[in-house]
Amino acid sequence: MRTLVKETLTKIGQNVNLNGWVDSIRDHGKITFLDLRDRSGKIQCVGKDLPKVTAESVVEIVGTVAKRPEKLINPRLPTGTVEIQIEKMTVMSSSKELPFPIDTDGYNIDEDVRLKYRYLDIRRPRMAQNLRLRSKVTTFIRNYLTDRDFAEIETPMLTKTTPEGARDFLVPARLHPGKFYALPQSPQQYKQLLMVAGLERYFQIVRCFRDESQRADRAYGEFTQLDLEISFVTQNDILELIEDLFTKIVKEIFPEKHISQSPWPRIPHKEAIQKYGVDKPDLRKDKNDPNELAFGWTIDFPLFTGQTKEDFFYGSGKAKFAPSHHMFTAPHPDDIPLLDTDPTKVRGLQYDLILNGFEVGGGSIRIHQKNVQEKIFDLIGFTAEQKTQFEHMLTAFTYGVPPHGGIAPGIDRFMMAVRGEPTIREVMAFPANAHGSTAVVDAPSFANEKQLAELGISIRHRPKTKTG
Ligand code: ASP
């Protein structure tokens, strides 16, 4: 039976069978020392006349766990008080020399090379740790929310456009030549429909797709968010729930971190702009402290921004107003009369979650009255055709809609901020690069003629330099 490296500490004097990678080798003539690495740690192994092996090969080692003499203890290794006296070593799969070192933090290696060999890059302890902690965070979230009566519900990936203000990814529909699905920019409409359905408390840790350029806090193409929606809820309920959830995540999973201020400050949008010049101020007290987490809320956003955000989606391109969050956000009840007189003065019931100067999430209380929703469609300049795209929402809103609201904190962004990583890609297993090529597999690729024919598609321009 296999023993994990970390379990050797309790097996002194016993014969064990270890599996893992050769982390390093020190050949002293007849005697060879090597460090064996598995998912639980590293351990020194020592033996005579071992088969030839290269670093990063996968081996099986059978041997005895021995206590190291006092002066040979390695205090830098959790298993530094013991070593394995090798009786037999089998090379299960040998490794070529890696294209880059993995015992460094890796930041100064060309990122495209790291992404090409991402499966090696993830052997780097920092990367493996990021992914493991991320798994702990999502598990914690699932337990926390299901304990509080939330249901985790999946929504379609092949769907219709969702108005989050970015360009959609389209997927050709073979059964409907000439038609396309859109990958969801978020499950916004579905989660609202789940409220109409009476689920009351929904969440999903979900992939969202937006065809927009890469930035440090934004990967090209896809990202993951904790999407949630609640019925019969106030803005304050949502802010308190998220504050409690993230405070507990930090306490449990990142105990070395401290939160600058609790309860988290809630800053009206106007004040944020006046005082800090941005709507996501970095509220850390000491920006040199890598363990400080300054959470906060920006609230009271204007419902509309002055100009249309993305002409290719919102309105006819001639509209004066674009939603500053999205078109389902409820106006502040005190400001509803202003919708007719001065829409730019209307505040939205929307909020952004900020952390160390990043916008880590946003959400809102939603419109649940058909007539108000229609009014917003008019204000953002929807054409009759655009309105029909959202007909299903207006229809659903005629069947008893609970007041509802939600939020969607970004998992990648939170992990980036809490781990102090320079980009979001450092906390994703297989991100795309700046040109939209996916790590390792180098997607996208050309479709062949047969595939295109089935889809009824012909390509108008094909770059000459590449082959399909
Ligand atoms: N759908 C929004 C987003 O993805 C979040 C929300 O309003 O709940 O940003």
Side-chain angles (χ1 to χ4, degrees):
M1 209 183 63
R2 181 184 178 198
T3 297
L4 287 176
V5 162
K6 69 169 184 207
E7 294 164 349
T8 53
L9 288 170
T10 61
K11 293 194 188 264
I12 291 164
Q14 292 179 31
N15 201 263
V16 293
N17 181 337
L18 300 173
N19 293 165
W21 284 259
V22 175
D23 196 73
S24 60
I25 314 166
R26 296 171 298 284
D27 207 339
H28 289 236
K30 249 181 137 30
I31 295 193
T32 304
F33 289 87
L34 57 86
D35 284 351
L36 180 82
R37 180 183 81 235
D38 69 12
R39 67 175 194 276
S40 72
K42 277 195 246 180
I43 189 165
Q44 172 168 290
C45 306
V46 52
K48 276 190 202 150
D49 303 323
L50 300 180
K52 272 230 146 333
V53 67
T54 51
E56 292 306 309
S57 295
V58 173
V59 294
E60 174 173 65
I61 287 179
V62 177
T64 308
V65 185
K67 243 187 146 117
R68 292 204 211 178
E70 199 68 40
K71 57 181 191 322
L72 295 182
I73 286 177
N74 179 353
R76 288 186 310 267
L77 211 58
T79 59
T81 53
V82 294
E83 66 182 12
I84 304 295
Q85 285 163 356
I86 305 176
E87 282 153 28
K88 186 166 177 236
M89 178 171 99
T90 314
V91 180
M92 298 169 113
S93 161
S94 58
S95 173
K96 292 204 297 196
E97 194 181 332
L98 303 195
F100 44 65
I102 56 170
D103 58 352
T104 64
D105 63 24
Y107 293 121
N108 53 13
I109 301 168
D110 178 0
E111 198 182 9
D112 281 346
V113 182
R114 287 179 58 203
L115 292 177
K116 178 172 179 196
Y117 298 99
R118 191 58 145 190
Y119 46 90
L120 301 177
D121 193 47
I122 294 173
R123 289 187 191 174
R124 188 183 307 290
R126 175 178 65 86
M127 288 300 292
Q129 176 78 339
N130 282 351
L131 296 181
R132 292 214 162 92
L133 287 168
R134 181 180 172 130
S135 164
K136 283 199 171 149
V137 167
T138 50
T139 304
F140 189 95
I141 292 172
R142 286 205 161 87
N143 292 336
Y144 178 96
L145 292 174
T146 45
D147 283 351
R148 284 160 183 78
D149 227 12
F150 281 81
E152 181 175 8
I153 297 167
E154 291 172 78
T155 50
M157 287 286 125
L158 294 175
T159 181
K160 215 167 168 173
T161 190
T162 34
E164 306 282 348
R167 191 182 284 107
D168 281 322
F169 280 99
L170 297 179
V171 180
R174 184 179 57 84
L175 298 178
H176 304 270
K179 289 191 176 175
F180 294 82
Y181 301 98
L183 300 180
Q185 291 185 36
S186 90
Q188 184 62 37
Q189 296 177 70
Y190 287 111
K191 67 174 170 176
Q192 292 193 241
L193 295 173
L194 287 169
M195 298 301 105
V196 182
L199 263 298
E200 291 196 26
R201 299 189 138 212
Y202 142 95
F203 82 98
Q204 182 179 194
I205 293 174
V206 68
R207 205 62 72 81
C208 300
F209 302 88
R210 299 183 191 179
D211 188 353
E212 56 192 358
S213 26
Q214 170 182 283
R215 296 198 307 240
D217 63 349
R218 181 175 285 175
Y220 175 77
E222 44 189 310
F223 61 89
T224 304
Q225 67 187 25
L226 160 62
D227 195 51
L228 69 84
E229 196 74 8
I230 310 174
S231 293
F232 308 110
V233 74
T234 62
Q235 170 167 316
N236 187 52
D237 295 335
I238 294 174
L239 304 197
E240 281 186 354
L241 176 86
I242 295 298
E243 178 163 341
D244 186 60
L245 167 62
F246 280 88
T247 302
K248 290 196 167 119
I249 290 174
V250 170
K251 242 198 189 133
E252 176 83 17
I253 304 173
F254 305 98
E256 71 285 6
K257 304 272 162 180
H258 59 92
I259 294 176
S260 325
Q261 200 183 329
S262 295
W264 302 351
R266 297 181 185 181
I267 308 168
H269 180 262
K270 211 170 166 181
E271 186 188 319
I273 300 293
Q274 276 166 2
K275 209 161 145 188
Y276 306 99
V278 284
D279 59 9
K280 43 181 184 234
D282 187 344
L283 303 170
R284 278 177 294 180
K285 295 193 177 115
D286 176 2
K287 299 210 172 72
N288 296 317
D289 172 0
N291 285 331
E292 181 175 1
L293 296 176
F295 285 99
W297 294 104
T298 311
I299 56 171
D300 291 343
F301 281 80
L303 188 63
F304 298 109
T305 60
Q307 77 279 24
T308 44
K309 225 191 213 168
E310 302 283 0
D311 279 349
F312 54 80
F313 187 80
Y314 281 119
S316 54
K318 293 188 205 85
K320 283 212 223 63
F321 312 108
S324 60
H325 185 47
H326 55 58
M327 60 179 81
F328 305 114
T329 298
H332 195 292
D334 297 346
D335 297 350
I336 293 209
L338 288 171
L339 282 174
D340 291 318
T341 53
D342 195 352
T344 55
K345 292 234 160 66
V346 178
R347 288 163 298 164
L349 291 181
Q350 86 185 56
Y351 28 86
D352 274 0
L353 169 60
I354 51 177
L355 171 56
N356 292 3
F358 292 103
E359 178 199 326
V360 168
S364 61
I365 300 298
R366 324 298 183 189
I367 297 165
H368 68 281
Q369 309 93 327
K370 183 168 181 282
N371 62 330
V372 180
Q373 188 64 68
E374 279 172 327
K375 182 165 233 135
I376 300 293
F377 284 172
D378 286 335
L379 282 167
I380 60 181
F382 261 14
T383 59
E385 192 204 325
Q386 281 170 319
K387 275 188 208 165
T388 59
Q389 279 198 299
F390 296 96
E391 195 57 45
H392 53 274
M393 293 298 279
L394 298 177
T395 305
F397 280 11
T398 60
Y399 290 107
V401 190
H404 59 284
I407 188 168
I411 300 291
D412 321 275
R413 281 198 189 167
F414 170 69
M415 288 304 301
M416 173 183 94
V418 80
R419 295 285 290 157
E421 289 289 6
T423 76
I424 208 169
R425 297 182 298 284
E426 302 292 340
V427 297
M428 300 168 95
F430 298 106
N433 70 11
H435 313 290
S437 298
T438 309
V440 187
V441 300
D442 197 24
S445 53
F446 291 110
N448 65 35
E449 281 310 322
K450 182 164 175 273
Q451 289 171 314
L452 292 175
E454 264 183 354
L455 297 168
I457 287 179
S458 66
I459 303 295
R460 286 205 236 168
H461 305 287
R462 211 182 251 263
K464 289 205 182 67
T465 46
K466 290 195 179 169
T467 50

